[in-house]
Amino acid sequence: MTLETPVVVEPQRPWKATPRELAPTGYLLLASAFASWAVVAATPMKGKLAYAFLFFVFGTASLSINKGRKLGRSAAVDSIAGSVAMTGAFLVFLPVASILFTTIQKGVKGLHWTLFSQTMFTASYSDPISKGGLLHALVGTLYLILISVIVSVPMGILTALYLTEIKGPGSNFIQFIVQAMSGVPSVVAGLFIFASIIVTTPVKASAIAGAFALSILMIPTVTRTAQEVLLLVPMDLREAGQALGATQWKTVATIVVPAARNGLITATILGVARIAGETAPLLFTIGGSDKLNWNPFKDYQGALPFYVWKGLLLGTPESIQRAWTGILVLLILVLVLFILARTLGGRKMKSK
Amino acid sequence: MNSFDSSNGEEMSIDSAAQTNSLASVASAHTAARQPGNAPMGSGLEARGIHAWFGKHHALENVSLDFASGTVTALIGPSGCGKSTFIRTLNRMHEFIPSAAMAGEVLLDGKDIYSKGTDVTKIRLQIGMVFQKPNPFPSMTIGENVLSGLKLAQLKMSNKEDLMQECLERAGLWNEVKDRLGAHAGGLSGGQQQRLCIARALAVKPKVLLMDEPCSALDPGSTLRIEDTIGQLAQTMTIIIVTHNMQQAARVSDYTAFFLSEGGPGNMIEVGPTNEMFSRPRDQRTENYVSGRFG
């Protein structure tokens, strides 16, 4: 036996393309960009859209031909499919990024501290932006979300449990109703609460009436997402629970729901996302006050979407600035709520 | 000198017999090891005239089997012969399938578990089950999994720690998990998860334990450990095990029942002491199956 010098083996990724191998792709894309510019310059096709379209066509074709020459026909088709999928993903990303960018760009100019300490009670929407604030709307939106969650999440999850676990009488009909409900135009939800509650009962326009209208939109979202999540829990676990002598309710409460926990939090988040920016259902139901109101059960209430709507409606530069800032605050609020829900919901699982 | 020679020759012949029919010899050795004199605990289970249907499909026809207390019975047969369906009628898991129907009686200590007014959760508490695929509860820790039956069936138990240790020891898992009882069960290997499921089934102290191909997803090492566990458990309970592995049936069981479906519904062809089933089955089809000629 001879002593060998120990060979140090470096971890490698032979399946990754080296910069040298990536270079042709870069050249081809550059060439495509140049070709689109040349075509736009030489032909009547004009505009940004023409650039984008031609670049997509040239890029896809040249990359595909390049792949096809090296690896054959199936590789060429694979390359086309890859380019189309990537373009699709980019097209989805574009409006989202554009909305976020525009909101931040326009909204950030109106941000100042008194926004969160003052209301519009003593100020007018066309006053300089440093006067007045949106505290009343922030409080109103928080109340609306809170009450909607309290109403919709238990109802939505219980309905989902009935449909997936109990599968009792009327399941098909309820499923149909839930689907139909998720297609209800949001303004109809507001009108319904206005006609059925505000006109006929002592409950007048207030945060709770608005929350009821929002719940009509939120319940089907929560139900359908919760259903999907509960169906992902393997049947084995339900059988295991029942084989241990548990009643169905015990199995659902101790095994199925905890196993679906993260997904149920997602269902809640999607439900909140559905309602947080809704304006139409609030038009008839919250009164749209400019005054701070801590009582969610009585008197007119403000809300962030309502504040935005009022600002846009007035149309002066100051009021439109207020609207942009209102949207930015709403976006930040929803983001904060999502992060809170994720961390609070995920914490128990991680710490163990 | 002469007698020594002849005894030697006898040994030789026994050896060669054992080689030609090794399954039977394993079976007889196993049965001999367990003394029938040891008064077994557990309860007897008696299936009488069991039929099962899925919708219109008649899956199982007229199966009657006695499971004496403290014995291990293996159910063997090719796929689709109704073994799993049969075992699931024994603790009323069959009725989970929406289109399922059945006929017949299953007597636990002489009482029909299908009679009106029977609390099905009490039945399942006495007749536990281990499934083909390990299915520990993912939201619970290892320790919580073992005790989950108590929580699920709302049983009161004073010293839970002792029970947890006892069940894990009996399932042959204690030494591997004693330092991480608070870890999630998903981190265990497949074999460990299956032994955890056995420990979980033991914690509610069933009188009968049904095992539906408990080792089919496991490696040989884990399979052996579970077979050891079955041997030990048989001293205190009645065990019925479905298996596709005939060596396993020979190793662990006292009795073997052979199921077969010949196009129509599944039937129980033959039942008998395991060593007889593997050495001299009465039915030609059993002979063909245990000798590996089909299935």
Side-chain angles (χ1 to χ4, degrees):
Chain A
M1 257 180 79
T2 54
L3 278 175
E4 287 173 33
T5 49
V7 181
V8 180
V9 180
E10 292 290 333
Q12 292 177 350
R13 293 189 179 84
W15 52 89
K16 289 259 181 186
T18 59
R20 198 190 188 84
E21 288 163 335
L22 281 175
T25 310
Y27 296 145
L28 286 173
L29 288 178
L30 271 179
S32 305
F34 180 75
S36 2
W37 173 79
V39 170
V40 170
T43 65
M45 286 175 87
K46 294 287 173 247
K48 287 177 197 163
L49 212 60
Y51 279 118
F53 175 72
L54 289 169
F55 179 68
F56 168 69
V57 171
F58 289 142
T60 306
S62 60
L63 288 181
S64 160
I65 291 167
N66 181 41
K67 266 276 165 69
R69 267 181 43 217
K70 281 188 209 151
L71 301 170
R73 194 173 161 274
S74 61
V77 175
D78 182 63
S79 164
I80 292 178
S83 299
V84 171
M86 201 164 169
T87 310
F90 184 71
L91 287 180
V92 169
F93 171 76
L94 211 58
V96 175
S98 165
I99 289 173
L100 272 177
F101 179 75
T102 317
T103 308
I104 292 169
Q105 189 197 27
K106 299 208 173 178
V108 83
K109 282 182 252 166
L111 279 182
H112 56 93
W113 287 114
T114 50
L115 216 56
F116 304 103
S117 60
Q118 294 185 13
T119 68
M120 294 306 288
F121 188 50
T122 53
S124 153
Y125 278 78
S126 46
D127 279 342
I129 189 77
S130 57
K131 201 156 174 267
L134 46 66
L135 178 65
H136 63 295
L138 195 61
V139 169
T141 287
L142 280 174
Y143 272 145
L144 286 170
I145 291 177
L146 185 70
I147 299 172
S148 300
V149 166
I150 291 172
V151 173
S152 312
V153 171
M155 266 175 90
I157 291 178
L158 287 174
T159 310
L161 286 176
Y162 183 78
L163 293 175
T164 56
E165 305 297 320
I166 299 174
K167 299 190 191 86
S171 288
N172 288 338
F173 181 66
I174 294 167
Q175 183 77 62
F176 172 72
I177 294 286
V178 168
Q179 268 162 10
M181 252 176 99
S182 55
V184 167
S186 56
V187 68
V188 174
L191 207 55
F192 169 70
I193 294 300
F194 179 75
S196 64
I197 292 185
I198 296 178
V199 173
T200 57
T201 70
V203 178
K204 294 301 166 204
S206 57
I208 192 155
F212 284 159
L214 294 177
S215 297
I216 293 175
L217 305 172
M218 189 168 168
I219 289 169
T221 311
V222 174
T223 306
R224 295 181 65 178
T225 321
Q227 246 184 304
E228 296 297 321
V229 171
L230 290 170
L231 286 175
L232 288 179
V233 176
M235 206 57 208
D236 302 10
L237 295 181
R238 297 182 177 88
E239 291 197 337
Q242 307 228 343
L244 286 168
T247 58
Q248 190 181 20
W249 157 242
K250 260 287 176 190
T251 311
V252 168
T254 36
I255 293 159
V256 179
V257 169
R261 175 196 164 101
N262 274 340
L264 294 176
I265 292 169
T266 305
T268 309
I269 287 177
L270 284 178
V272 170
R274 171 81 179 81
I275 59 151
E278 278 292 348
T279 319
L282 305 179
L283 293 177
F284 319 103
T285 52
I286 62 166
S289 164
D290 285 332
K291 192 178 154 192
L292 185 61
N293 175 12
W294 286 107
N295 185 350
F297 302 106
K298 217 183 137 211
D299 294 338
Y300 290 174
Q301 186 67 267
L304 279 170
F306 209 100
Y307 175 89
V308 172
W309 180 71
K310 268 187 164 179
L312 284 176
L313 210 61
L314 206 63
T316 69
E318 291 80 10
S319 73
I320 288 178
Q321 179 60 56
R322 281 181 204 280
W324 280 113
T325 308
I327 295 173
L328 182 60
V329 172
L330 183 61
L331 269 179
I332 294 170
L333 176 73
V334 171
L335 187 69
V336 167
L337 288 179
F338 287 1
I339 293 171
L340 267 180
R342 275 271 166 254
T343 43
L344 290 180
R347 200 169 54 189
K348 204 185 158 199
M349 296 289 277
K350 269 182 201 149
S351 66
K352 276 183 182 172
Chain B
M1 215 40 191
N2 204 8
S3 69
F4 183 81
D5 268 341
S6 80
S7 81
N8 218 0
E10 250 178 57
E11 256 186 51
M12 288 287 285
S13 71
I14 289 169
D15 245 353
S16 64
Q19 266 164 15
T20 51
N21 207 335
S22 60
L23 286 183
S25 78
V26 172
S28 58
H30 165 79
T31 323
R34 196 176 316 132
Q35 295 294 321
N38 285 354
M41 288 157 64
S43 293
L45 198 64
E46 205 179 330
R48 282 192 194 156
I50 300 288
H51 293 253
W53 291 267
F54 295 105
K56 290 257 187 315
H57 173 62
H58 197 172
L60 196 65
E61 189 178 36
N62 198 22
V63 176
S64 296
L65 268 173
D66 271 11
F67 306 98
S69 60
T71 59
V72 179
T73 305
L75 310 182
I76 61 169
S79 291
C81 65
K83 311 178 297 286
S84 290
T85 304
F86 175 68
I87 206 174
R88 287 168 65 93
T89 61
L90 297 180
N91 71 339
R92 297 189 56 173
M93 295 297 283
H94 179 59
E95 63 209 52
F96 272 118
I97 294 136
S99 65
M102 63 86 67
E105 287 181 324
V106 177
L107 306 179
L108 175 67
D109 292 330
K111 276 174 71 180
D112 184 11
I113 65 170
Y114 282 95
S115 63
K116 290 279 168 224
T118 307
D119 182 353
V120 63
T121 59
K122 298 255 159 52
I123 293 300
R124 298 199 186 113
L125 214 49
Q126 295 177 69
I127 308 178
M129 187 156 191
V130 176
F131 296 83
Q132 183 172 359
K133 225 175 95 195
N135 52 5
F137 299 133
S139 56
M140 299 182 188
T141 65
I142 294 170
E144 285 169 346
N145 256 289
V146 177
L147 299 176
S148 60
L150 305 177
K151 196 173 159 194
L152 283 164
Q154 288 155 300
L155 299 177
K156 292 270 180 293
M157 189 67 67
S158 51
N159 39 7
K160 290 182 172 173
E161 301 295 317
D162 294 351
L163 179 74
M164 190 195 297
Q165 180 171 353
E166 185 201 324
C167 294
L168 284 169
E169 274 171 353
R170 290 178 72 191
L173 189 62
W174 174 250
N175 283 330
E176 289 158 62
V177 301
K178 63 185 172 195
D179 299 322
R180 47 170 174 156
L181 293 169
H184 269 274
L188 297 175
S189 75
Q192 290 173 327
Q193 288 190 7
Q194 190 64 303
R195 277 178 277 148
L196 178 62
C197 292
I198 294 176
R200 179 177 71 186
L202 297 179
V204 294
K205 314 247 175 212
K207 296 172 179 167
V208 180
L209 190 61
L210 310 176
M211 304 178 110
D212 188 359
E213 296 183 43
C215 302
S216 67
L218 305 183
D219 64 288
S222 302
T223 302
L224 272 182
R225 319 242 357 208
I226 288 178
E227 287 177 9
D228 280 353
T229 306
I230 292 170
Q232 283 159 27
L233 293 177
Q235 290 156 11
T236 54
M237 60 184 70
T238 308
I239 293 178
I240 302 164
I241 176 171
V242 171
T243 178
H244 274 294
N245 180 335
M246 273 175 288
Q247 281 84 358
Q248 179 170 68
R251 284 193 296 263
V252 301
S253 69
D254 305 304
Y255 297 93
T256 298
F258 174 58
F259 283 63
L260 185 64
S261 155
E262 291 164 313
N267 283 291
M268 201 267 293
I269 303 293
E270 185 176 350
V271 62
T274 297
N275 52 349
E276 282 180 29
M277 286 288 282
F278 282 106
S279 56
R280 37 181 195 283
R282 293 185 300 275
D283 195 290
Q284 184 59 42
R285 292 166 292 181
T286 315
E287 165 90 54
N288 290 347
Y289 187 74
V290 298
S291 60
R293 242 163 275 168
F294 79 97

